[in-house]
Amino acid sequence: GNSVTQMEGPVTLSEEAFLTINCTYTATGYPSLFWYVQYPGEGLQLLLKATKADDKGSNKGFEATYRKETTSFHLEKGSVQVSDSAVYFCALSDPNTNAGKSTFGDGTTLTVKP
Amino acid sequence: DSGVTQTPKHLITATGQRVTLRCSPRSGDLSVYWYQQSLDQGLQFLIQYYNGEERAKGNILERFSAQQFPDLHSELNLSSLELGDSALYFCASSGTESYNEQFFGPGTRLTVL
């Protein structure tokens, strides 16, 4: 079945540091890949997505590239801010199975200190 | 604002009781998903409905049930509540795009005392 493995947290960085959160996946077919972010006290919201191999999703300074050869979708940001402190979830959706249900990783908590 | 609404925002009840959580999806979205988020188990998929029909089932207990009504809103019923059912319950919806981005509601925080 489908699965998503995320880098374990928590991750603590100083402001302006470089961020990488690793995500690898297992899926049949050709899934779409997502990063969702959950700020304290809120629901999840889509941060970025990529729907086919070699696509790069980007938003708010975050980027992730769909790497089919390594089955990875690592999240990166060049310079984090205190406001980026949140829980980040990697997810996949395979349109050919499970009627569009998404499979989520366990989440990685990021804390950015000033 | 995702366009997905959930009520109530908070719910406090006692063990053995039954509660109903309500979700209204984004306008036009046919799929509704329910998730449970607890501190020790992360985000757990419970169940999905598509246009009134159950489409996929995850780690949903037999004490829990859900349905989606003709107006596409959905309800999650939790019965014989136990302390371990205390969690955040999220509803999400998605449209017909093939990549199935999900839009999450703000959640209902359930506390079982």
Short mmCIF file of all heavy atoms in Angstrom, two decimals, chain A residues 32-34 36 38 41-46 49-51 87 89 92-95 98-106, chain B residues 2 9 31 33 35 37 41-45 48 55-58 88 90 94 98-107:
data_model
loop_
_atom_site.label_atom_id
_atom_site.label_comp_id
_atom_site.label_asym_id
_atom_site.label_seq_id
_atom_site.Cartn_x
_atom_site.Cartn_y
_atom_site.Cartn_z
N SER A 32 0.31 12.23 -6.75
CA SER A 32 0.58 13.65 -6.53
C SER A 32 1.13 13.79 -5.13
O SER A 32 0.76 13.04 -4.23
CB SER A 32 -0.71 14.47 -6.67
OG SER A 32 -1.22 14.37 -7.97
N LEU A 33 2.02 14.76 -4.94
CA LEU A 33 2.69 14.94 -3.65
C LEU A 33 2.41 16.32 -3.10
O LEU A 33 2.31 17.30 -3.86
CB LEU A 33 4.21 14.73 -3.80
CG LEU A 33 4.62 13.37 -4.35
CD1 LEU A 33 6.12 13.34 -4.59
CD2 LEU A 33 4.23 12.24 -3.39
N PHE A 34 2.29 16.39 -1.78
CA PHE A 34 1.90 17.62 -1.12
C PHE A 34 2.73 17.85 0.14
O PHE A 34 3.17 16.90 0.79
CB PHE A 34 0.42 17.55 -0.68
CG PHE A 34 -0.54 17.14 -1.74
CD1 PHE A 34 -0.83 15.81 -1.96
CD2 PHE A 34 -1.17 18.10 -2.52
CE1 PHE A 34 -1.73 15.42 -2.94
CE2 PHE A 34 -2.08 17.71 -3.50
CZ PHE A 34 -2.35 16.38 -3.72
N TYR A 36 1.68 19.95 3.59
CA TYR A 36 0.69 20.73 4.32
C TYR A 36 1.37 21.31 5.56
O TYR A 36 2.29 20.70 6.13
CB TYR A 36 -0.47 19.84 4.78
CG TYR A 36 -1.41 19.40 3.68
CD1 TYR A 36 -1.13 18.29 2.89
CD2 TYR A 36 -2.60 20.09 3.44
CE1 TYR A 36 -2.00 17.87 1.90
CE2 TYR A 36 -3.48 19.68 2.45
CZ TYR A 36 -3.16 18.57 1.68
OH TYR A 36 -4.03 18.16 0.69
N GLN A 38 0.54 23.03 9.48
CA GLN A 38 -0.46 23.25 10.54
C GLN A 38 0.13 24.22 11.56
O GLN A 38 1.04 23.85 12.32
CB GLN A 38 -0.84 21.93 11.21
CG GLN A 38 -1.93 22.08 12.27
CD GLN A 38 -2.29 20.76 12.93
OE1 GLN A 38 -1.48 19.83 12.99
NE2 GLN A 38 -3.51 20.66 13.42
N GLY A 41 -3.00 25.71 16.81
CA GLY A 41 -4.42 25.97 17.00
C GLY A 41 -5.24 26.00 15.73
O GLY A 41 -6.42 26.36 15.76
N GLU A 42 -4.65 25.61 14.61
CA GLU A 42 -5.38 25.67 13.35
C GLU A 42 -5.43 24.31 12.66
O GLU A 42 -4.75 23.36 13.06
CB GLU A 42 -4.73 26.69 12.41
CG GLU A 42 -4.71 28.11 12.95
CD GLU A 42 -4.12 29.09 11.97
OE1 GLU A 42 -3.91 28.73 10.79
OE2 GLU A 42 -3.86 30.23 12.38
N GLY A 43 -6.23 24.23 11.61
CA GLY A 43 -6.25 23.03 10.78
C GLY A 43 -5.09 23.04 9.80
O GLY A 43 -4.35 24.01 9.68
N LEU A 44 -4.96 21.94 9.06
CA LEU A 44 -3.91 21.86 8.06
C LEU A 44 -4.27 22.72 6.86
O LEU A 44 -5.45 22.86 6.50
CB LEU A 44 -3.73 20.41 7.58
CG LEU A 44 -2.95 19.47 8.48
CD1 LEU A 44 -3.73 19.10 9.72
CD2 LEU A 44 -2.55 18.23 7.70
N GLN A 45 -3.26 23.27 6.21
CA GLN A 45 -3.49 23.99 4.96
C GLN A 45 -2.38 23.62 3.99
O GLN A 45 -1.24 23.36 4.39
CB GLN A 45 -3.54 25.51 5.20
CG GLN A 45 -2.34 26.10 5.89
CD GLN A 45 -2.53 27.58 6.19
OE1 GLN A 45 -2.29 28.42 5.35
NE2 GLN A 45 -2.98 27.88 7.41
N LEU A 46 -2.76 23.61 2.72
CA LEU A 46 -1.80 23.22 1.71
C LEU A 46 -0.70 24.26 1.60
O LEU A 46 -0.96 25.46 1.50
CB LEU A 46 -2.49 23.07 0.35
CG LEU A 46 -1.58 22.61 -0.78
CD1 LEU A 46 -1.18 21.15 -0.56
CD2 LEU A 46 -2.27 22.78 -2.12
N LYS A 49 2.45 21.83 -3.77
CA LYS A 49 2.16 20.52 -4.35
C LYS A 49 2.94 20.33 -5.63
O LYS A 49 3.43 21.29 -6.23
CB LYS A 49 0.67 20.37 -4.65
CG LYS A 49 0.14 21.30 -5.72
CD LYS A 49 -1.34 21.04 -5.97
CE LYS A 49 -1.87 21.90 -7.10
NZ LYS A 49 -2.06 23.31 -6.72
N ALA A 50 3.07 19.06 -6.04
CA ALA A 50 3.66 18.70 -7.32
C ALA A 50 2.91 17.49 -7.84
O ALA A 50 2.67 16.53 -7.10
CB ALA A 50 5.14 18.40 -7.18
N THR A 51 2.52 17.52 -9.09
CA THR A 51 1.65 16.47 -9.60
C THR A 51 2.34 15.49 -10.53
O THR A 51 1.74 14.47 -10.90
CB THR A 51 0.43 17.08 -10.31
OG1 THR A 51 0.92 17.91 -11.38
CG2 THR A 51 -0.39 17.91 -9.36
N VAL A 87 3.77 22.65 12.39
CA VAL A 87 3.95 21.22 12.08
C VAL A 87 3.78 21.05 10.58
O VAL A 87 2.81 21.55 10.00
CB VAL A 87 2.94 20.33 12.85
CG1 VAL A 87 3.21 18.86 12.54
CG2 VAL A 87 3.02 20.59 14.34
N PHE A 89 3.45 18.45 7.30
CA PHE A 89 3.04 17.10 6.91
C PHE A 89 3.30 16.89 5.43
O PHE A 89 2.84 17.68 4.60
CB PHE A 89 1.54 16.88 7.16
CG PHE A 89 1.14 16.86 8.60
CD1 PHE A 89 0.79 18.03 9.25
CD2 PHE A 89 1.09 15.66 9.30
CE1 PHE A 89 0.41 18.01 10.58
CE2 PHE A 89 0.70 15.64 10.63
CZ PHE A 89 0.37 16.82 11.27
N LEU A 92 0.70 12.14 0.10
CA LEU A 92 0.54 11.76 -1.31
C LEU A 92 -0.90 11.37 -1.58
O LEU A 92 -1.62 10.94 -0.69
CB LEU A 92 1.49 10.61 -1.68
CG LEU A 92 1.24 9.21 -1.14
CD1 LEU A 92 0.22 8.43 -1.98
CD2 LEU A 92 2.56 8.42 -1.16
N SER A 93 -1.28 11.55 -2.82
CA SER A 93 -2.60 11.14 -3.27
C SER A 93 -2.43 10.43 -4.59
O SER A 93 -1.84 10.98 -5.52
CB SER A 93 -3.51 12.34 -3.42
OG SER A 93 -4.76 11.96 -3.97
N ASP A 94 -2.92 9.21 -4.65
CA ASP A 94 -2.82 8.43 -5.87
C ASP A 94 -4.19 8.43 -6.54
O ASP A 94 -5.10 7.79 -6.03
CB ASP A 94 -2.37 7.01 -5.55
CG ASP A 94 -2.09 6.20 -6.80
OD1 ASP A 94 -2.57 6.60 -7.89
OD2 ASP A 94 -1.41 5.18 -6.70
N PRO A 95 -4.33 9.12 -7.65
CA PRO A 95 -5.66 9.19 -8.28
C PRO A 95 -6.17 7.86 -8.80
O PRO A 95 -7.35 7.72 -9.09
CB PRO A 95 -5.46 10.19 -9.43
CG PRO A 95 -4.00 10.15 -9.71
CD PRO A 95 -3.32 9.86 -8.41
N ASN A 98 -7.76 4.10 -4.11
CA ASN A 98 -8.36 4.67 -2.89
C ASN A 98 -9.21 5.91 -3.15
O ASN A 98 -9.37 6.73 -2.27
CB ASN A 98 -7.28 5.02 -1.87
CG ASN A 98 -6.62 3.77 -1.33
OD1 ASN A 98 -7.22 2.70 -1.34
ND2 ASN A 98 -5.41 3.90 -0.85
N ALA A 99 -9.67 6.09 -4.36
CA ALA A 99 -10.61 7.15 -4.68
C ALA A 99 -10.14 8.52 -4.20
O ALA A 99 -10.94 9.32 -3.73
CB ALA A 99 -11.97 6.83 -4.07
N GLY A 100 -8.85 8.78 -4.26
CA GLY A 100 -8.37 10.10 -3.94
C GLY A 100 -7.99 10.31 -2.50
O GLY A 100 -7.60 11.41 -2.11
N LYS A 101 -8.08 9.29 -1.68
CA LYS A 101 -7.67 9.44 -0.29
C LYS A 101 -6.20 9.76 -0.22
O LYS A 101 -5.39 9.20 -0.93
CB LYS A 101 -7.94 8.14 0.47
CG LYS A 101 -7.50 8.16 1.93
CD LYS A 101 -7.83 6.86 2.61
CE LYS A 101 -6.81 5.78 2.35
NZ LYS A 101 -5.54 6.06 2.99
N SER A 102 -5.83 10.71 0.64
CA SER A 102 -4.43 11.06 0.82
C SER A 102 -3.82 10.28 1.95
O SER A 102 -4.49 9.96 2.93
CB SER A 102 -4.27 12.56 1.10
OG SER A 102 -4.49 13.32 -0.06
N THR A 103 -2.56 9.94 1.79
CA THR A 103 -1.79 9.30 2.85
C THR A 103 -0.82 10.33 3.42
O THR A 103 -0.07 10.94 2.66
CB THR A 103 -1.01 8.09 2.29
OG1 THR A 103 -1.95 7.17 1.72
CG2 THR A 103 -0.22 7.40 3.39
N PHE A 104 -0.85 10.52 4.73
CA PHE A 104 -0.04 11.54 5.38
C PHE A 104 1.13 10.93 6.15
O PHE A 104 1.01 9.83 6.71
CB PHE A 104 -0.89 12.36 6.37
CG PHE A 104 -1.83 13.32 5.71
CD1 PHE A 104 -3.05 12.89 5.21
CD2 PHE A 104 -1.50 14.66 5.59
CE1 PHE A 104 -3.92 13.77 4.59
CE2 PHE A 104 -2.36 15.56 4.98
CZ PHE A 104 -3.57 15.11 4.48
N GLY A 105 2.23 11.66 6.19
CA GLY A 105 3.31 11.31 7.09
C GLY A 105 2.94 11.69 8.52
O GLY A 105 1.87 12.25 8.77
N ASP A 106 3.83 11.41 9.44
CA ASP A 106 3.55 11.63 10.86
C ASP A 106 3.68 13.09 11.29
O ASP A 106 3.34 13.43 12.42
CB ASP A 106 4.47 10.78 11.73
CG ASP A 106 4.13 9.30 11.63
OD1 ASP A 106 2.97 8.99 11.26
OD2 ASP A 106 5.00 8.46 11.90
N SER B 2 -10.46 28.15 4.62
CA SER B 2 -10.48 27.05 3.64
C SER B 2 -11.85 26.88 2.99
O SER B 2 -11.97 26.22 1.96
CB SER B 2 -10.09 25.74 4.33
OG SER B 2 -11.10 25.36 5.27
N LYS B 9 -16.68 23.84 17.92
CA LYS B 9 -15.23 24.05 17.98
C LYS B 9 -14.62 23.25 19.13
O LYS B 9 -13.54 22.69 19.01
CB LYS B 9 -14.92 25.54 18.16
CG LYS B 9 -13.47 25.90 17.93
CD LYS B 9 -13.31 27.40 17.93
CE LYS B 9 -11.86 27.83 17.78
NZ LYS B 9 -11.26 27.37 16.52
N SER B 31 -16.28 15.24 -2.04
CA SER B 31 -15.60 14.31 -1.11
C SER B 31 -15.41 14.96 0.24
O SER B 31 -15.00 16.12 0.34
CB SER B 31 -14.22 13.93 -1.65
OG SER B 31 -14.31 12.90 -2.59
N TYR B 33 -13.63 13.97 4.10
CA TYR B 33 -12.74 13.06 4.82
C TYR B 33 -12.77 13.44 6.30
O TYR B 33 -12.82 14.62 6.64
CB TYR B 33 -11.29 13.21 4.34
CG TYR B 33 -11.10 13.17 2.84
CD1 TYR B 33 -11.36 14.29 2.06
CD2 TYR B 33 -10.63 12.03 2.21
CE1 TYR B 33 -11.19 14.27 0.69
CE2 TYR B 33 -10.45 12.00 0.83
CZ TYR B 33 -10.72 13.12 0.08
OH TYR B 33 -10.54 13.09 -1.28
N TYR B 35 -10.56 12.93 9.94
CA TYR B 35 -9.28 12.56 10.53
C TYR B 35 -9.33 12.77 12.04
O TYR B 35 -10.02 13.66 12.54
CB TYR B 35 -8.14 13.43 9.98
CG TYR B 35 -7.86 13.26 8.52
CD1 TYR B 35 -8.54 14.01 7.57
CD2 TYR B 35 -6.90 12.37 8.08
CE1 TYR B 35 -8.27 13.87 6.22
CE2 TYR B 35 -6.62 12.22 6.73
CZ TYR B 35 -7.30 12.98 5.82
OH TYR B 35 -7.03 12.83 4.48
N GLN B 37 -6.67 13.55 15.18
CA GLN B 37 -5.31 13.92 15.51
C GLN B 37 -5.12 13.92 17.01
O GLN B 37 -5.71 14.74 17.71
CB GLN B 37 -4.95 15.30 14.94
CG GLN B 37 -3.48 15.65 15.14
CD GLN B 37 -3.12 17.01 14.55
OE1 GLN B 37 -3.88 17.98 14.65
NE2 GLN B 37 -1.96 17.10 13.92
N GLN B 41 -0.49 9.83 18.33
CA GLN B 41 -0.70 9.03 17.12
C GLN B 41 -0.75 9.86 15.85
O GLN B 41 -1.09 9.36 14.80
CB GLN B 41 -1.97 8.20 17.24
CG GLN B 41 -1.85 7.06 18.24
CD GLN B 41 -2.98 6.07 18.10
OE1 GLN B 41 -4.02 6.38 17.54
NE2 GLN B 41 -2.78 4.86 18.59
N GLY B 42 -0.44 11.15 15.93
CA GLY B 42 -0.41 11.92 14.71
C GLY B 42 -1.77 12.03 14.06
O GLY B 42 -2.81 11.96 14.72
N LEU B 43 -1.77 12.17 12.74
CA LEU B 43 -3.00 12.37 11.97
C LEU B 43 -3.46 11.02 11.43
O LEU B 43 -2.78 10.42 10.60
CB LEU B 43 -2.73 13.35 10.83
CG LEU B 43 -3.92 13.92 10.09
CD1 LEU B 43 -4.70 14.85 11.02
CD2 LEU B 43 -3.46 14.66 8.85
N GLN B 44 -4.61 10.55 11.91
CA GLN B 44 -5.12 9.25 11.48
C GLN B 44 -6.35 9.43 10.61
O GLN B 44 -7.33 10.05 11.02
CB GLN B 44 -5.50 8.42 12.72
CG GLN B 44 -4.34 8.12 13.65
CD GLN B 44 -3.38 7.13 13.07
OE1 GLN B 44 -3.78 6.17 12.41
NE2 GLN B 44 -2.08 7.35 13.28
N PHE B 45 -6.32 8.84 9.43
CA PHE B 45 -7.47 8.88 8.53
C PHE B 45 -8.56 7.96 9.07
O PHE B 45 -8.30 6.80 9.41
CB PHE B 45 -7.05 8.44 7.13
CG PHE B 45 -8.19 8.17 6.19
CD1 PHE B 45 -8.96 9.20 5.70
CD2 PHE B 45 -8.49 6.87 5.80
CE1 PHE B 45 -10.01 8.96 4.83
CE2 PHE B 45 -9.54 6.62 4.93
CZ PHE B 45 -10.30 7.66 4.44
N GLN B 48 -13.82 8.27 4.42
CA GLN B 48 -14.09 9.19 3.33
C GLN B 48 -15.47 8.91 2.73
O GLN B 48 -15.85 7.75 2.55
CB GLN B 48 -13.06 9.05 2.22
CG GLN B 48 -13.34 9.96 1.00
CD GLN B 48 -12.60 9.54 -0.24
OE1 GLN B 48 -11.85 8.57 -0.23
NE2 GLN B 48 -12.79 10.26 -1.32
N ARG B 55 -16.51 5.82 0.61
CA ARG B 55 -15.55 5.54 -0.46
C ARG B 55 -14.29 4.83 0.05
O ARG B 55 -13.73 3.99 -0.62
CB ARG B 55 -15.15 6.84 -1.16
CG ARG B 55 -14.22 6.69 -2.34
CD ARG B 55 -14.84 5.88 -3.47
NE ARG B 55 -15.87 6.61 -4.17
CZ ARG B 55 -15.66 7.33 -5.27
NH1 ARG B 55 -14.44 7.46 -5.74
NH2 ARG B 55 -16.66 7.92 -5.88
N ALA B 56 -13.83 5.21 1.23
CA ALA B 56 -12.63 4.58 1.79
C ALA B 56 -12.74 4.61 3.29
O ALA B 56 -13.32 5.51 3.89
CB ALA B 56 -11.37 5.30 1.33
N LYS B 57 -12.18 3.57 3.91
CA LYS B 57 -12.23 3.45 5.36
C LYS B 57 -10.82 3.29 5.89
O LYS B 57 -10.02 2.53 5.34
CB LYS B 57 -13.07 2.23 5.74
CG LYS B 57 -13.93 2.39 6.94
CD LYS B 57 -14.94 1.24 7.03
CE LYS B 57 -15.93 1.50 8.13
NZ LYS B 57 -16.97 0.46 8.18
N GLY B 58 -10.53 3.98 6.97
CA GLY B 58 -9.21 3.86 7.59
C GLY B 58 -9.33 3.23 8.95
O GLY B 58 -10.07 2.28 9.15
N LEU B 88 -8.25 15.98 18.54
CA LEU B 88 -8.78 16.92 17.56
C LEU B 88 -9.34 16.11 16.41
O LEU B 88 -8.68 15.19 15.91
CB LEU B 88 -7.67 17.81 17.02
CG LEU B 88 -7.41 19.15 17.70
CD1 LEU B 88 -6.12 19.75 17.20
CD2 LEU B 88 -8.57 20.10 17.46
N PHE B 90 -10.63 16.43 12.58
CA PHE B 90 -10.65 17.32 11.42
C PHE B 90 -11.51 16.72 10.32
O PHE B 90 -11.51 15.51 10.08
CB PHE B 90 -9.24 17.52 10.86
CG PHE B 90 -8.37 18.40 11.70
CD1 PHE B 90 -7.35 17.86 12.46
CD2 PHE B 90 -8.57 19.78 11.74
CE1 PHE B 90 -6.54 18.66 13.24
CE2 PHE B 90 -7.76 20.59 12.52
CZ PHE B 90 -6.75 20.02 13.27
N SER B 94 -12.50 17.73 -0.77
CA SER B 94 -11.76 17.90 -2.01
C SER B 94 -12.72 17.91 -3.18
O SER B 94 -13.84 17.38 -3.10
CB SER B 94 -10.70 16.81 -2.18
OG SER B 94 -11.29 15.55 -2.40
N SER B 98 -7.80 15.90 -10.38
CA SER B 98 -7.19 14.59 -10.25
C SER B 98 -6.17 14.53 -9.14
O SER B 98 -5.91 13.47 -8.58
CB SER B 98 -6.54 14.17 -11.57
OG SER B 98 -5.50 15.09 -11.88
N TYR B 99 -5.57 15.67 -8.76
CA TYR B 99 -4.52 15.60 -7.75
C TYR B 99 -5.07 15.64 -6.33
O TYR B 99 -4.34 15.47 -5.38
CB TYR B 99 -3.47 16.68 -7.95
CG TYR B 99 -4.01 18.08 -8.13
CD1 TYR B 99 -4.40 18.83 -7.04
CD2 TYR B 99 -4.09 18.66 -9.38
CE1 TYR B 99 -4.88 20.12 -7.19
CE2 TYR B 99 -4.56 19.95 -9.54
CZ TYR B 99 -4.96 20.68 -8.44
OH TYR B 99 -5.44 21.94 -8.59
N ASN B 100 -6.37 15.89 -6.18
CA ASN B 100 -7.03 15.71 -4.89
C ASN B 100 -6.42 16.47 -3.72
O ASN B 100 -6.18 15.91 -2.66
CB ASN B 100 -7.08 14.23 -4.53
CG ASN B 100 -8.09 13.51 -5.39
OD1 ASN B 100 -9.23 13.94 -5.50
ND2 ASN B 100 -7.66 12.45 -6.03
N GLU B 101 -6.13 17.75 -3.91
CA GLU B 101 -5.76 18.60 -2.79
C GLU B 101 -6.91 18.64 -1.80
O GLU B 101 -8.08 18.73 -2.20
CB GLU B 101 -5.48 20.01 -3.30
CG GLU B 101 -5.32 21.05 -2.22
CD GLU B 101 -5.22 22.45 -2.80
OE1 GLU B 101 -4.99 22.57 -4.01
OE2 GLU B 101 -5.35 23.40 -2.01
N GLN B 102 -6.58 18.54 -0.52
CA GLN B 102 -7.63 18.55 0.50
C GLN B 102 -7.64 19.88 1.24
O GLN B 102 -6.60 20.47 1.51
CB GLN B 102 -7.41 17.40 1.49
CG GLN B 102 -7.58 16.05 0.83
CD GLN B 102 -7.58 14.90 1.80
OE1 GLN B 102 -7.73 15.07 3.00
NE2 GLN B 102 -7.44 13.70 1.27
N PHE B 103 -8.84 20.33 1.56
CA PHE B 103 -9.05 21.59 2.28
C PHE B 103 -9.60 21.23 3.66
O PHE B 103 -10.64 20.60 3.76
CB PHE B 103 -10.01 22.48 1.51
CG PHE B 103 -9.47 22.90 0.17
CD1 PHE B 103 -9.63 22.09 -0.94
CD2 PHE B 103 -8.79 24.10 0.03
CE1 PHE B 103 -9.12 22.46 -2.16
CE2 PHE B 103 -8.28 24.48 -1.19
CZ PHE B 103 -8.43 23.65 -2.30
N PHE B 104 -8.87 21.64 4.68
CA PHE B 104 -9.20 21.22 6.03
C PHE B 104 -10.02 22.28 6.77
O PHE B 104 -9.78 23.48 6.64
CB PHE B 104 -7.92 20.96 6.83
CG PHE B 104 -7.29 19.63 6.54
CD1 PHE B 104 -6.56 19.44 5.38
CD2 PHE B 104 -7.44 18.58 7.42
CE1 PHE B 104 -5.99 18.21 5.10
CE2 PHE B 104 -6.87 17.35 7.15
CZ PHE B 104 -6.14 17.16 5.99
N GLY B 105 -10.93 21.80 7.59
CA GLY B 105 -11.64 22.67 8.51
C GLY B 105 -10.78 22.96 9.72
O GLY B 105 -9.69 22.40 9.88
N PRO B 106 -11.28 23.82 10.62
CA PRO B 106 -10.50 24.22 11.80
C PRO B 106 -10.46 23.16 12.90
O PRO B 106 -9.70 23.29 13.84
CB PRO B 106 -11.24 25.48 12.28
CG PRO B 106 -12.63 25.29 11.79
CD PRO B 106 -12.53 24.57 10.49
N GLY B 107 -11.30 22.14 12.77
CA GLY B 107 -11.26 21.05 13.74
C GLY B 107 -12.23 21.21 14.89
O GLY B 107 -12.69 22.32 15.20
#
